[in-house]
Amino acid sequence: MEKDEAVFDTRPVDADAEANSGPIVRHLEVDDKNDDAAAKFLAQVAARPDADQLLAPATDEEIKKILRKVDPIVVTLCLFAFLMGSLDKVAISQAAAVMNFRTDLGLVGQQYSWISSSIYFGAIAAIIPSLMVMQKVPANYYVATQVLIWGIITTAQCGAKNFGAEMAIRIILGFFESVISVAFGIIVSTWWTREEQPMRTAIMFTTCSSIINGIISYASVSYTGHAIKQWQLLFLLIGSITMLWSLLMFAFLPASPMTARWLTMRQRVIATRRMGTNHTGVLNTTFKYKQALEALLDPKTWLVFVINVLINIPNGGLSTFNSIIVASLGFTAKQTTLLNMPTGVFSQIAAIFFSWIARRTGQQTYSAMASCIPPFLGTILLYVLPRSNQGASLAALYLAYFYWAPYIIVMALVYANTGGHTKKLIVYAISYIGYCVGNLIAPQTFQATDAPKYTTGVTTMMVCWAITLVLLFVYRFYMVYLNKRKARQLTEYEAVARPDDLLEEWQDQTDMQNPKFVYAF
């Protein structure tokens, strides 16, 4: 096992020590298996001749300067990659509604629903093995590689001739798209503090794919050539843009604050040490089976799983059948394409607004509950309004698209409330599987025989929102209970703790193991 010495603590023992000798440097060993990678990085920094300058307390201006670098680079790279992954899921609805996709592939009955769902079968099968690989290799290159491959597979859909071929392509596509949401969750917990995470999550996990989809779809619908079909052109364009974006990710996305080439060494130190207040760690390359078992036995893991299933049944239903529902209102192909564009805007506005409310008030669970009300109301209106009332039905559909806000706030809670690198991977993966299961169930609730009102699907969405509200309250109650238990654990810890040992901040501990961990709610 590789060992490094000179692990530091910048807190002085007393005022005289601070005045006479500056930062205290403790000499302790770093255990690569049990300590976070940040401990090794900071130990190496402490051994440098300029350690005092590098380890000096950060000023507010320095932190703001770092964020002005990090936000445009990391958020933008992840945002657009996530957008392109979402775009493929939205585009198939557009292709089915106005580009003869179903007719050209000879789809009948529920075959289109199964094609829409198939990507999630691949994602569920691949997510945990993929994350185990990512833990061992540079995460930035691994993620960029996944984006490149899924861009290639997206273009391969142009060659599908029937139901079987398209099913196979989309299952394989799910293998490579699966890691993205979880990897970006790791990135959020690695770069930003708990207070900063909700807003970055809302921006990074963008739903503005409907705008890009509207532009590309409109161009595809306007295509009148005969070399390829309109839906083939759509997938060709999406795949090509995705592949090009992956090259930027290879060039600029860092694996962690410790390796960001576009930060100075002083900025890397500050960016890394800021994460100590999260108590969730930065990186550890050892897969720990005890942490994995803790993740599986943790009640909040499964509570979030069920919440994600329920939130994403409306998500999957709207994403898959939105264009078909809009077309059923009597609009033309081009009108349907343009009317789909605002859906993502409404979702994005809702996510940012309620994430802002969560940060301002510090009441994440109440904010999540409040954010469930608009889509719940929109779904009720979608159920009771006749399709002949075009304007009101369209407004109800747009209101239903506020569904993304509760999902974003819940995921921000997951990032804030999970410690230990292996446990984070497993919990994030199970949360993502909940997302996939919801999206798998949703298309099956929209039966072809129910068109154009799709009563079963809309009723299912209403039930999901009602149960979600109850479970969010249960989650809040459980976090309050855990914090009371943590208060007792902290009292016992402080009785024996060494106040000058900063290394404890960088042990790879789970939220349950760390006595200083406080759950957000």
Side-chain angles (χ1 to χ4, degrees):
M1 181 181 297
E2 184 178 353
K3 302 285 185 181
D4 283 285
E5 294 186 348
V7 176
F8 67 92
D9 187 344
T10 60
R11 289 174 293 185
V13 174
D14 55 41
D16 291 336
E18 182 177 21
N20 297 329
S21 59
I24 299 298
V25 178
R26 293 184 52 85
H27 294 273
L28 298 171
E29 291 184 334
V30 174
D31 184 338
D32 287 345
K33 179 179 179 180
N34 295 314
D35 291 332
D36 195 274
K40 181 176 180 179
F41 168 72
L42 294 172
Q44 293 169 344
V45 171
R48 291 169 55 123
D50 57 349
D52 287 349
Q53 290 78 22
L54 293 174
L55 300 174
T59 65
D60 290 342
E61 185 54 39
E62 284 182 306
I63 293 173
K64 290 177 182 178
K65 188 174 182 179
I66 291 170
L67 290 176
R68 285 196 293 268
K69 282 187 177 182
V70 173
D71 288 340
I73 296 176
V74 179
V75 172
T76 303
L77 287 172
C78 296
L79 178 155
F80 198 80
F82 187 86
L83 184 149
M84 296 311 297
S86 302
L87 185 57
D88 174 74
K89 300 178 184 71
V90 176
I92 195 168
S93 172
Q94 200 75 14
V98 298
M99 298 182 194
N100 296 319
F101 175 77
R102 289 181 292 182
T103 302
D104 290 341
L105 268 62
L107 303 181
V108 295
Q110 290 296 104
Q111 287 184 334
Y112 169 68
S113 294
W114 283 113
I115 284 176
S116 301
S117 300
S118 58
I119 191 171
Y120 300 107
F121 288 117
I124 292 171
I127 181 60
I128 291 180
S130 187
L131 288 175
M132 292 176 72
V133 172
M134 191 180 78
Q135 189 177 18
K136 300 292 185 182
V137 301
N140 52 335
Y141 293 135
Y142 187 71
V143 170
T145 300
Q146 305 300 298
V147 175
L148 174 62
I149 295 173
W150 102 50
I152 294 170
I153 297 171
T154 299
T155 62
Q157 290 182 92
C158 299
K161 302 296 183 183
N162 52 48
F163 169 71
E166 181 65 13
M167 274 284 289
I169 291 171
R170 292 190 69 79
I171 289 174
I172 296 171
L173 186 62
F175 290 163
F176 295 97
E177 284 195 11
S178 63
V179 76
I180 298 303
S181 291
V182 179
F184 290 173
I186 295 290
I187 288 171
V188 168
S189 67
T190 298
W191 282 97
W192 293 283
T193 64
R194 289 170 127 194
E195 293 75 22
E196 296 162 352
Q197 287 173 9
M199 188 61 69
R200 269 71 176 189
T201 303
I203 296 171
M204 188 182 295
F205 287 72
T206 180
T207 56
C208 287
S209 55
S210 65
I211 299 174
I212 307 298
N213 178 57
I215 295 170
I216 297 176
S217 296
Y218 192 84
S220 301
V221 169
S222 301
Y223 170 72
T224 57
H226 301 287
I228 58 175
K229 299 181 185 299
Q230 291 176 341
W231 60 268
Q232 290 175 322
L233 176 61
L234 178 66
F235 289 127
L236 183 63
L237 291 172
I238 293 171
S240 299
I241 294 170
T242 302
M243 287 186 282
L244 289 173
W245 193 256
S246 72
L247 302 181
L248 292 176
M249 298 184 75
F250 275 113
F252 297 107
L253 184 65
S256 73
M258 299 173 288
T259 59
R261 295 192 306 272
W262 34 266
L263 292 179
T264 66
M265 179 56 72
R266 165 71 174 162
Q267 289 174 331
R268 293 181 201 176
V269 171
I270 294 172
T272 301
R273 294 189 66 191
R274 269 175 18 99
M275 297 303 101
T277 60
N278 289 350
H279 304 299
T280 56
V282 175
L283 174 66
N284 185 283
T285 58
T286 302
F287 187 88
K288 298 177 181 176
Y289 290 95
K290 286 186 177 180
Q291 288 196 12
L293 180 62
E294 181 181 311
L296 294 174
L297 297 177
D298 191 340
K300 67 179 184 294
T301 300
W302 300 105
L303 187 55
V304 169
F305 170 81
V306 175
I307 291 172
N308 274 358
V309 171
L310 294 171
I311 290 175
N312 284 288
I313 288 176
N315 171 15
L318 291 171
S319 297
T320 304
F321 284 89
N322 171 61
S323 294
I324 295 172
I325 292 172
V326 174
S328 73
L329 296 176
F331 295 105
T332 66
K334 288 186 177 181
Q335 286 175 332
T336 298
T337 299
L338 294 174
L339 288 170
N340 280 330
M341 292 177 67
T343 56
V345 177
F346 285 116
S347 293
Q348 189 69 46
I349 290 173
I352 291 174
F353 175 73
F354 284 103
S355 294
W356 177 79
I357 292 293
R359 179 173 182 178
R360 290 280 295 188
T361 63
Q363 300 292 334
Q364 294 95 322
T365 46
Y366 284 151
S367 298
M369 293 171 71
S371 69
C372 291
I373 303 302
F376 194 2
L377 179 60
T379 305
I380 293 171
L381 292 174
L382 204 58
Y383 178 78
V384 300
L385 290 170
R387 290 291 181 268
S388 57
N389 190 338
Q390 286 184 327
S393 295
L394 193 61
L397 186 63
Y398 288 158
L399 196 59
Y401 264 88
F402 276 54
Y403 72 85
W404 197 239
Y407 176 72
I408 289 297
I409 298 173
V410 167
M411 290 312 299
L413 282 168
V414 172
Y415 304 150
N417 288 338
T418 311
H421 198 75
T422 300
K423 183 176 181 179
K424 285 197 291 187
L425 293 179
I426 299 300
V427 171
Y428 293 6
I430 291 172
S431 300
Y432 178 71
I433 291 172
Y435 166 90
C436 292
V437 170
N439 280 279
L440 270 171
I441 295 171
Q444 307 310 319
T445 66
F446 282 77
Q447 300 291 322
T449 53
D450 286 345
K453 199 167 179 64
Y454 293 105
T455 305
T456 303
V458 175
T459 303
T460 302
M461 289 165 61
M462 287 192 292
V463 172
C464 287
W465 286 123
I467 300 174
T468 298
L469 284 166
V470 175
L471 291 184
L472 284 170
F473 184 80
V474 172
Y475 182 89
R476 179 185 175 86
F477 179 83
Y478 186 54
M479 293 306 101
V480 171
Y481 163 75
L482 289 179
N483 279 341
K484 289 180 180 178
R485 194 168 69 177
K486 276 289 180 185
R488 294 191 295 269
Q489 185 182 358
L490 180 59
T491 300
E492 295 171 0
Y493 162 78
E494 288 177 338
V496 297
R498 296 184 305 181
D500 62 336
D501 189 359
L502 188 63
L503 182 59
E504 292 193 32
E505 293 290 351
W506 299 108
Q507 293 177 6
D508 185 33
Q509 293 181 317
T510 67
D511 51 281
M512 289 185 175
Q513 294 169 340
N514 190 336
K516 293 184 283 186
F517 198 96
V518 178
Y519 293 98
F521 59 86

